[in-house]
Amino acid sequence: MPPRPRPRRPLAWPGALCLAALLALPPGPARAQELTDLMDGMNKAFGALIRSLLVLTAQKNDPSPALAEAAQEAAKLAEAAAQIPKSGAFPGDPAFLKLAGEALEAARAAAAAAKEKRLEGAVAALVKLHAACTACHKDFRF
Ligand code: HEC
């Protein structure tokens, strides 16, 4: 007596492949969203940093409160910049990581200078930070 033919399960393979593909897929959109969220936060803090350093310090007799605010915003920027490599965007790309590092360094320098009430040092760091933002956008933002 010949062996009974095995029942065919036509959907088993494609189903398994779809599942495997889903599991193997890098979490692209979620990761990209993470970077977008970081950027939104950086954008707000960057605007506030410019306002506090370049506008408020010039408007007030006592620049101390504006510098304290600048130090806070720069610290937020440093915190966000430190998260960029962990966002999963451009994983391991040395040029991307270098620019993220430059942004982090400049934000930290701005925070330190503002905290020590060194307006010129803080503004110089702000200019460097801006250069890092625009350099990275030029090469990596589409
Ligand atoms: C290391 C690279 C890098 C640095 C540094 C960087 N960005 Fe970005 N930024 C990107 C990339 C990549 C995108 C596009 C990501 C996306 O798909 O939303 C982006 C997008 C943005 C967006 C658009 C977000 C949106 O909602 O679409 C803003 C605003 C922004 N960046 C502001 C800044 C500011 C301000 C700085 C500096 C203080 C900065 N970025 C520094 C890489 C960088």
Side-chain angles (χ1 to χ4, degrees):
M1 187 169 152
R4 262 177 54 199
R6 285 238 220 101
R8 276 193 70 209
R9 303 202 345 239
L11 282 179
W13 260 109
L17 281 178
C18 283
L19 186 63
L22 270 177
L23 292 174
L25 218 66
R31 290 298 173 97
Q33 187 56 45
E34 217 172 290
L35 183 65
T36 305
D37 291 347
L38 278 175
M39 288 299 146
D40 284 343
M42 284 181 76
N43 202 35
K44 284 195 191 86
F46 192 64
L49 181 62
I50 288 174
R51 195 178 103 89
S52 54
L53 273 186
L54 302 183
V55 181
L56 295 182
T57 51
Q59 280 176 350
K60 312 278 175 177
N61 289 332
D62 176 11
S64 295
L67 282 166
E69 190 188 324
Q72 271 185 11
E73 297 301 333
K76 278 188 213 165
L77 279 158
E79 210 173 289
Q83 300 298 316
I84 293 176
K86 300 173 199 160
S87 72
F90 307 99
D93 187 316
F96 185 75
L97 294 175
K98 183 170 178 284
L99 289 164
E102 285 175 16
L104 173 60
E105 197 182 318
R108 280 185 178 155
K115 205 173 167 193
E116 293 158 15
K117 299 185 183 176
R118 291 185 288 110
L119 177 58
E120 277 185 28
V123 172
L126 172 72
V127 172
K128 277 191 189 157
L129 179 57
H130 182 244
C133 307
T134 49
C136 196
H137 293 163
K138 182 173 154 283
D139 291 345
F140 291 98
R141 190 175 164 189
F142 14 67

